[in-house]
Amino acid sequence: MSSEQEAESIRCLVAKVGLDGHDRGAHVIARAFRDAGFEVIYSGLHKAPEEIVQAAVQEDVDVLGISILSGAHDTLVPKIMDGLEEYGAKDDTLVLAGGVIPDEDREGLKEAGVAAIFGPGTSIEETIEFVRENAPQR
Amino acid sequence: MTMDADDESLLEALLAGEHRALARVISKIENRSPGYRELVSELYAHTGDADVIGITGSPGAGKSTLVDKLAEEYRDRGETVGIIAIDPSSPFSGGAVLGDRIRMASAVGDMDVFVRSMSARGTLGGLSTATADAVKAMDAFGKDKIIIETVGAGQNEIDIVRTADTVAVLVPPGSGDDIQTLKAGILEIADVFVVNKADRDGADRTVQELREMVHLGEESGLAGGSGGHHGADVMSGSDAAVEATADEDEGWTPPIVETVATKGTGVETFIDELTNHRTHLVDSGTHAEKVRQRHAEEIRTLLREDVHSLLEDELADSGGIDGLAEAVRLGETDPYSIASDMLAPVETCIENLETETRGDGSSQE
């Protein structure tokens, strides 16, 4: 292995936002991403949108996965997107949403800039594949 | 060294204080993406103002929590903080879960605390270089205090933490015999000892044991105390004669601070001791010596890596390592002969260079 070779790794932030204490899904995703060879930063529970933005910007993540099971996605996700835009990070961060998100809300989230929404029943492989194919080339 | 236009504007943005630019530069350093060397080389001109603090200790000692409180206190004093939190990565998948951020709650919403998680990407040796370069980036950005946090597990971590001017080693109470096991390597690098979770049973005893150890070390000159970083130096195998004198922390006895990081108790005393050590370094002239020595190590590492990658190319040209390894397996040759054969042209090259440059005084080493 040449030490000069590029050592790029896909960096992901797995984030729990708002008043939502259900983090099993986020844990499963974090672990699966790690096993797929990604570098995963886990935010911890009950984070405010600003905290997620701060972490995403400072860690310079390629992928931001937001897990929401509280139903507050229509409020929280746009706040995160605005924050990313403020720091010039919106365009080259792949934002994913997971959790319980009704079909009728999906269009709105996509318009806000979410690349894909993975609801209950999505296979882990599918999610990993999506990240591999769509992680931004910088 | 010249940079392309993108890197040029990235550097400008970093120097102008854009957080995103700092984050991007650190990514480039971590990824070793094209142009990162030119970038880091430009950064050097803007470094030297930050105070670099290394914090290490066993898993669960409370490093992240203490770092968080440290950052909070520094912010209260009006100083900006950069934190590099290092987590191990899986040697199998290369993946990692970087969890130190979870415990850094007081940094939240304050962009002047810049937390960056890093993991070893395959080669551990590369991590200390990447960490040192990331410190440069934060320094150039204008951070007053830069904290490197890493699990004190072995030689690589020691190398990482030696990037710092001042090293604090966390020892959980009730370690008892653990202190004995810590002795090899980790304890020698401590400039300040912190007994965290000091409200727990056994804290007094741990402080006592540490104190004894520090004094013993002073008498024998082998561990802790004036001996400073001997153990680490001997192991890193570099110019022992130079470093033995270079690393002598003349007259510094590592203080032992008791903290309860979760409550913030003792953090101010801890900061005072860090400042004391910094003052000591500067006053005694050890600081300049340390910095010089660190740069020497950086140069060595870079040269080693560069020569290594040159040889990798040569290796690929001669059919890759697999073929050679197979030849060894079949008993046709041996690793030593292969290494000599491959290095022969390099040696000839260097000899030629020496004859060419003889007289103008420039050394090729």
Side-chain angles (χ1 to χ4, degrees):
Chain A
M1 298 289 147
S2 163
S3 54
E4 271 301 292
Q5 78 179 7
E6 291 184 40
E8 201 150 345
S9 171
I10 298 178
R11 281 171 76 87
C12 311
L13 174 64
V14 174
K16 286 297 303 184
V17 62
L19 295 175
D20 164 10
H22 302 276
D23 58 355
R24 177 61 60 88
H27 284 177
V28 170
I29 287 287
R31 202 187 156 123
F33 278 6
R34 181 198 71 184
D35 291 344
F38 305 164
E39 275 179 13
V40 186
I41 293 128
Y42 177 54
S43 72
L45 278 172
H46 308 307
K47 299 297 169 189
E50 306 82 69
E51 297 176 51
I52 305 298
V53 170
Q54 185 185 12
V57 170
Q58 293 185 345
E59 300 287 357
D60 194 25
V61 291
D62 307 294
V63 182
L64 167 59
I66 310 167
S67 159
I68 302 183
L69 292 105
S70 65
H73 44 268
D74 280 345
T75 326
L76 297 169
V77 172
K79 277 188 186 166
I80 294 176
M81 300 311 296
D82 289 349
L84 288 178
E85 190 156 33
E86 188 187 327
Y87 288 101
K90 189 180 167 188
D91 293 336
D92 57 1
T93 305
L94 182 73
V95 181
L96 312 175
V100 191
I101 293 166
D103 286 340
E104 59 265 34
D105 291 347
R106 294 188 174 211
E107 208 45 53
L109 289 182
K110 288 200 169 166
E111 267 165 36
V114 176
I117 294 158
F118 299 105
T122 316
S123 80
I124 298 265
E125 289 76 21
E126 191 186 320
T127 315
I128 290 173
E129 203 46 47
F130 186 86
V131 169
R132 282 225 173 92
E133 278 169 17
N134 295 284
Q137 293 294 323
R138 292 164 164 176
Chain B
M1 288 190 163
T2 49
M3 292 192 293
D4 65 27
D6 283 354
D7 287 348
E8 198 92 49
S9 54
L10 190 59
L11 179 72
E12 267 171 37
L14 180 143
L15 295 175
E18 280 179 35
H19 292 94
R20 176 95 171 134
L22 174 58
R24 189 50 58 85
V25 168
I26 298 179
S27 296
K28 273 184 166 279
I29 289 169
E30 270 197 298
N31 294 343
R32 293 166 190 269
S33 35
Y36 95 94
R37 296 176 70 117
E38 287 76 11
L39 206 51
V40 177
S41 132
E42 286 295 321
L43 286 174
Y44 266 82
H46 307 275
T47 59
D49 299 326
D51 207 358
V52 187
I53 299 154
I55 296 197
T56 189
S58 48
K63 294 179 294 298
S64 303
T65 315
L66 186 65
V67 167
D68 182 45
K69 288 292 184 295
L70 205 55
E72 194 178 18
E73 182 65 30
Y74 277 135
R75 290 297 295 135
D76 284 348
R77 298 181 183 196
E79 305 198 80
T80 55
V81 182
I83 300 171
I84 298 174
I86 293 163
D87 262 324
S89 67
S90 158
F92 302 107
S93 66
V97 175
L98 310 168
D100 291 317
R101 229 194 149 89
I102 300 178
R103 279 176 289 279
M104 300 199 181
S106 61
V108 157
D110 179 2
M111 276 305 248
D112 283 328
V113 179
F114 193 103
V115 185
R116 183 60 179 242
S117 317
M118 283 172 87
S119 82
R121 301 242 174 111
T123 52
L124 259 175
L127 184 57
S128 52
T129 317
T131 311
D133 291 344
V135 168
K136 294 281 178 314
M138 286 188 172
D139 191 347
F141 183 83
K143 293 293 181 196
D144 300 317
K145 305 283 173 186
I146 298 167
I147 306 171
I148 306 168
E149 185 215 320
T150 180
V151 172
Q155 186 58 45
N156 293 305
E157 283 74 13
I158 292 175
D159 285 344
I160 291 164
V161 98
R162 288 177 80 215
T163 310
D165 301 312
T166 302
V167 176
V169 173
L170 261 70
V171 185
S175 296
D177 290 345
D178 281 358
I179 291 184
Q180 300 298 320
T181 58
L182 273 173
K183 235 182 208 169
I186 293 291
L187 288 191
E188 288 96 324
I189 62 168
D191 299 309
V192 179
F193 285 107
V194 182
V195 177
N196 192 29
K197 308 186 186 181
D199 52 348
R200 295 215 183 154
D201 285 349
D204 292 350
R205 200 171 148 209
T206 304
V207 171
Q208 190 56 38
E209 283 174 349
L210 274 173
R211 195 165 287 145
E212 273 172 31
M213 210 202 57
V214 170
H215 287 303
L216 265 178
E218 278 193 326
E219 281 161 26
S220 66
L222 280 174
S226 59
H229 303 227
H230 273 194
D233 283 334
V234 172
M235 277 188 280
S236 67
S238 35
D239 259 8
V242 180
E243 305 205 343
T245 45
D247 225 356
E248 210 74 40
D249 272 1
E250 218 48 73
W252 178 259
T253 306
I256 300 158
V257 185
E258 292 180 59
T259 59
V260 184
T262 45
K263 294 179 191 151
T265 321
V267 174
E268 286 190 30
T269 324
F270 179 37
I271 288 188
D272 291 344
E273 291 295 357
L274 291 174
T275 315
N276 288 346
H277 183 254
R278 170 81 183 185
T279 316
H280 163 80
L281 282 181
V282 176
D283 290 352
S284 66
T286 326
H287 188 247
E289 199 55 63
K290 263 194 158 179
V291 172
R292 199 176 310 143
Q293 187 191 323
R294 197 182 303 146
H295 290 322
E297 197 53 51
E298 281 169 9
I299 297 169
R300 279 201 196 97
T301 310
L302 272 180
L303 285 176
R304 198 162 49 223
E305 288 186 2
D306 289 355
V307 170
H308 181 77
S309 61
L310 277 179
L311 287 177
E312 282 295 332
D313 294 343
E314 199 190 327
L315 203 57
D317 289 344
S318 60
I321 197 149
D322 289 342
L324 296 170
E326 178 66 5
V328 174
R329 190 184 74 89
L330 296 172
E332 290 163 8
T333 178
D334 63 283
Y336 287 91
S337 308
I338 293 173
S340 305
D341 290 351
M342 291 200 56
L343 280 174
V346 181
E347 275 172 16
T348 323
C349 258
I350 292 174
E351 273 164 25
N352 289 342
L353 275 174
E354 274 167 2
T355 21
E356 276 168 32
T357 54
R358 189 170 298 156
D360 65 11
S362 67
S363 160
Q364 287 301 318
E365 211 201 330

